[in-house]
């Protein structure tokens, strides 16, 4: 790679982070997304503009030849025409090819491959920073499509503006100067035509933009519907709802069809108007030049130049129309993407937030009040102290607030009232990354990537060695079944892919891999949210023994409906409707004969026995 080529590519860093959050308005968003690419875009515009001007030089060359032949005779070739011939050789065989090669290069080498990853990486980075509430309120497929759509649309806008817009501007601007050099009356024809063309664009473009945005929105609804169906295809099949889901998709497709028809009618009318205007220019400009020739104020070469320039602009008219529709269609899609992707983050790091947590994992919840932003309160004035290394079990009926406590600790949602401390530090004084690096979590709904088993476990600590991954898998009773895995491409064992969301694994296998991931992370705080709910009794016993080792020296918060899994905890906290109603050891709580004792009685057979006696 030559130094010039490296310099050329260095004009734009395709992975440069953006400054701040994306603005909500269209043009500020465009500046945010393209910031850092100004040199590359400026070079592209300059090269394209120069290439456009070269078209006028070509037309002028033809005019010079015709005027030269009209003034000369048939006696010589080289002597009267050598300056024009030499100019033609240099221009058409050297300068013009280099110009158009450079024009193609800045568009297809510099802009195309770099702008798309630049915009997409910035949107993806911002999207990852959204709170859980954001992702719960939308479809993952729809969000990802919006990011791809917006990145592609903005890339297309820049390349089309450079490739056609600036090129056409150069041709039109140069044409005005060329016509002015012939006769001001020819210039007037071009000016009037340019004004009509401008007003046509001004009338149609906003309407095209609006209908394009409506079409884009309808298309994403179709995508969201299909993604939602396919993501839950097991439920569709189990409930025999193929027809039901098909009708739902057809309804969304019908809406898209109507929006596409509205857009198609408008764009067809727009094209017809542009083609009419495109036909007007060569007709009236050539007739005007012909009139000037009859009046003796224009030469045959002037007529030729006028005809070539006007015809070239007429040909560009159709292309400009298509590109104008495409540009404003893309602008509509960009605005549609902004509405979905660019809202401000609900949870942000403070400017002076610490980038690392220090301590052994002591936790403190102070007067927590939380309602998920609604009116139904999930936690009521909850206060709880957990010593470093203490093992806590959270118990309660569904909806009592157990998982909410964990979500607030992880700052997946922002505390509405009160505060949470980790080793004496408010979690809002830590960056979100620093906070979550100090906590290992195994949830009831395990998260699996469509990557190898090795990569899924190593996600807990990306710098872990293979030996450390294998050890974590053994401690989670996952090693043996991982060795038996094989995917559709023949990869086996730790190299086998697990499928999207781990669909190729059983629930118990997914949880064992999630446990191995948490073991490998080795954080001072361990959260087990129904971590053994999908395991059979034999495997659960194996993992409980492994967890007993893993929990040594760690602060543990365990949520479980099966009370036998948390009976050995240092302390059990009983929640009811968002409040702590009981706290103590397993034996203490049984002796109180309160809510925990009733839960235990039901799970240990007392409830079934009472029911049998009643019958």
């Amino acid at each position: 790679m030559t130094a010039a080529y490296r310099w050329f590519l260095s004009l734009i860093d395709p992975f440069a982070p953006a400054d701040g959050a994306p603005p909500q308005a269209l043009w500020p968003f465009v500046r945010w997304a393209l910031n850092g690419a100004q040199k590359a875009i400026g070079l592209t515009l300059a090269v394209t503009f120069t290439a456009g001007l070269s078209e006028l030089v070509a037309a002028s060359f033809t005019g010079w030849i015709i005027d030269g032949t009209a003034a000369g005779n048939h006696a010589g070739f080289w002597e009267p025409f050598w300056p024009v011939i030499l100019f033609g050789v240099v221009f058409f065989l050297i300068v013009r090819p280099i110009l158009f090669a450079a024009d193609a290069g800045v568009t297809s080498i510099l802009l195309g491959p770099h702008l798309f990853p630049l915009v997409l990486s910035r949107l993806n980075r911002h999207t990852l920073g959204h709170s859980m509430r954001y992702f719960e309120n939308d479809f993952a497929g729809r969000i990802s499509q919006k990011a791809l759509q917006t990145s592609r649309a903005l890339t297309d806008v820049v390349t089309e503006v450079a490739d056609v817009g600036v090129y056409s501007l150069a041709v039109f601007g140069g044409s005005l100067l060329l016509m002015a050099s012939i006769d001001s009356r020819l210039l007037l024809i071009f000016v009037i035509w340019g004004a009509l063309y401008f007003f046509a664009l001004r009338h149609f473009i906003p309407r095209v933009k609006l209908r394009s945005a409506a079409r884009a929105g309808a298309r994403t609804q179709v995508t969201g519907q299909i993604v939602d169906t396919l993501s839950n295809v097991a439920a569709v099949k189990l409930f025999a709802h193929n027809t039901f889901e098909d009708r739902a998709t057809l309804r969304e497709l019908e809406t898209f069809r109507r929006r596409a028809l509205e857009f198609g009618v408008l764009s067809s009318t727009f094209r017809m108007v542009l083609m009419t205007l495109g036909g007007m220019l060569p007709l009236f400009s050539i007739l005007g030049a012909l009139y000037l020739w009859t009046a003796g104020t224009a030469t045959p070469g002037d007529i030729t130049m006028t005809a070539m320039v006007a015809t070239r602009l007429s040909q560009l008219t159709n292309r400009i129309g298509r590109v104008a529709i495409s540009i404003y269609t893309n602008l509509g899609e960009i605005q549609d993407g902004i509405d979905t992707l660019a809202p401000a983050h609900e949870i942000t790091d403070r400017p002076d937030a610490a980038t690392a947590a220090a301590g052994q994992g002591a936790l403190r919840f102070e007067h927590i009040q939380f309602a998920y932003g609604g009116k139904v309160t999930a936690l009521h004035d909850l206060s709880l102290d957990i010593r470093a290394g203490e093992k806590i079990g959270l118990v309660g009926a569904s909806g009592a607030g157990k998982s909410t406590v964990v979500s607030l600790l992880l700052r997946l949602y922002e505390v509405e009232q009160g505060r949470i401390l980790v080793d004496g530090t408010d979690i809002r004084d830590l960056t979100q990354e620093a906070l979550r690096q100090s906590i290992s979590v195994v949830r009831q709904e395990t998260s699996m990537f469509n990557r190898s088993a090795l990569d899924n476990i190593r996600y807990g600590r990306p710098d872990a060695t293979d030996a450390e991954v294998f050890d974590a898998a053994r401690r989670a009773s996952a090693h043996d079944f991982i060795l038996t895995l094989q995917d559709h491409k023949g990869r086996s064992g730790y190299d086998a892919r697990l499928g999207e969301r781990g669909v190729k694994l059983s629930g118990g296998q997914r949880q064992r891999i999630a446990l191995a991931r948490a073991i490998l992370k080795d954080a001072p705080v361990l959260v087990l949210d129904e971590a053994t709910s999908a395991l059979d009794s034999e495997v659960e016993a194996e993992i409980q023994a492994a967890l007993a080792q893993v929990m040594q020296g760690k602060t543990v918060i365990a949520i479980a409906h099966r009370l036998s899994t948390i009976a050995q905890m240092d302390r059990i906290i009983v929640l009811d409707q968002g409040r702590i109603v009981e706290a103590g050891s397993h034996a203490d709580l049984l002796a109180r004969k309160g809510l925990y004792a009733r839960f235990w009685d039901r799970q240990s057979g007392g409830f079934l026995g009472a029911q049998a006696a009643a019958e």
Side-chain angles (χ1 to χ4, degrees), residues 135 162 193 302 307 321 324 339 489:
F135 294 101
W193 178 85
D302 293 336
D339 295 339
K489 290 189 176 181

Side-chain angles (χ1 to χ4, degrees), residues 285-340:
S285 60
I286 293 172
L287 290 178
L290 183 61
Y291 169 78
L292 294 175
W293 177 78
T294 61
T297 58
T299 67
D302 293 336
I303 296 175
T304 304
M305 282 192 292
T306 302
M308 290 186 67
V309 170
T311 302
R312 183 60 180 142
L313 276 175
S314 177
Q315 292 171 343
L316 279 175
T317 299
N318 190 36
R319 188 180 177 191
I320 292 170
R322 290 199 306 270
V323 169
I325 291 175
S326 175
I327 287 174
Y328 279 89
T329 296
N330 284 325
L331 288 177
E333 293 193 349
I334 293 169
Q335 184 62 64
D336 188 44
I338 291 171
D339 295 339
T340 298

